Amino acid sequence: MGEAKRAKGLDTAILAFADVARQNPEAFLAIASGGNELEEMKDLARKNIPPGRYEFIGFVPEENMRQFYSELDLFLFPSRYGFGLSAVEAMACGTPAITGRTLDSTDFFTHELSLVDPNSPAELAARISMLLTDRQRYAELREWALKRVQSLSWKSMAEKYVEFWKQVRDRYGSGDRSL
C-alpha cells in the first residue's frame, strides 16, 4: 500500500518473495503501490519473480481496502523508516503483518514474528515461508494481531489518555501548580 519505494522495503519484499516463490508453487505476491519508483520495482520483480506469480495492482480505493486486506494471507511492510498505518489496517482485518524492525515499529509490533530486518530479504523470506507452512505459528500471530489492534483503537487510546490525565490530576491536584 502506498508508494512503491525502497524506503518502504518493497525491494526487500520482492527479493524475499522470489525465494518464497521457488519453494511454494501456490504463493502469489500482490503489490498495491504507485509512485516514482514503481518502474524500478516492476523491473526488479520481472528480473527475480517468475511470471504469473505477482501482480502490481496499483491503487486500492478506500472502499475496497477491507476486502483487499481480508483476502491476503500476510501483509508485508518491511519499511526502513517505521511502520505504516496500512499494517495496522491489515491486522484489523485479520491479516497478520510483517514489518521492518526499525524506529517506532518495535513499539507497536511486539510479537517476534511480526518484525524483520528491513534490509534482509533472506530473513523476510524465511518468515513468510514459515508462516505459510506452520499454521500453528500463523494462527498465533493472527490472534496476537487481532488483540494488538484492539489496544490501538481510537476508543482504547482515548481511555488511556483520560486515565493519564486522571493520574496527573490526582498527583498534582487541581491547584495552579505547574507540572
Side-chain angles (χ1 to χ4, degrees):
M1 302 299 280
E3 284 192 77
K5 55 197 304 184
R6 290 182 184 279
K8 290 189 176 185
L10 184 53
D11 58 324
T12 299
I14 289 169
L15 294 173
F17 187 78
D19 191 35
V20 171
R22 285 189 285 278
Q23 299 170 22
N24 185 335
E26 301 292 316
F28 185 85
L29 181 64
I31 304 166
S33 293
N36 61 358
E37 293 179 32
L38 181 61
E39 291 308 313
E40 180 184 349
M41 294 298 110
K42 284 182 176 182
D43 190 46
L44 185 63
R46 268 191 299 276
K47 289 177 181 175
N48 291 281
I49 302 174
R53 302 294 300 280
Y54 68 95
E55 181 181 0
F56 283 82
I57 61 173
F59 176 76
V60 177
E62 190 169 339
E63 62 269 12
N64 298 343
M65 283 185 187
R66 183 181 304 247
Q67 179 181 350
F68 175 75
Y69 289 132
S70 297
E71 292 175 353
L72 302 174
D73 288 314
L74 293 169
F75 182 80
L76 309 177
F77 196 80
S79 174
R80 293 177 173 93
Y81 67 89
F83 80 96
L85 186 58
S86 55
V88 176
E89 291 171 341
M91 290 169 32
C93 293
T95 301
I98 301 173
T99 64
R101 187 185 309 107
T102 183
L103 302 173
D104 60 350
S105 63
T106 59
D107 294 333
F108 294 93
F109 295 85
T110 56
H111 195 286
E112 64 180 307
L113 298 176
S114 68
L115 295 165
V116 295
D117 178 347
N119 297 305
S120 177
E123 182 181 352
L124 179 57
R127 184 68 42 80
I128 294 167
S129 294
M130 185 267 296
L131 289 168
L132 291 178
T133 57
D134 187 337
R135 299 317 282 178
Q136 183 175 345
R137 296 300 306 267
Y138 178 88
E140 173 189 323
L141 182 58
R142 184 177 187 275
E143 183 178 320
W144 170 84
L146 288 168
K147 287 179 183 174
R148 182 65 176 136
V149 87
Q150 289 301 312
S151 73
L152 300 174
S153 71
W154 287 110
K155 182 178 187 286
S156 175
M157 298 307 284
E159 289 169 352
K160 290 174 186 174
Y161 183 78
V162 167
E163 183 57 34
F164 168 78
W165 285 108
K166 283 181 181 178
Q167 290 175 8
V168 169
R169 180 197 62 207
D170 292 348
R171 182 170 181 183
Y172 296 101
S174 58
D176 289 341
R177 291 177 274 167
S178 64
L179 300 175

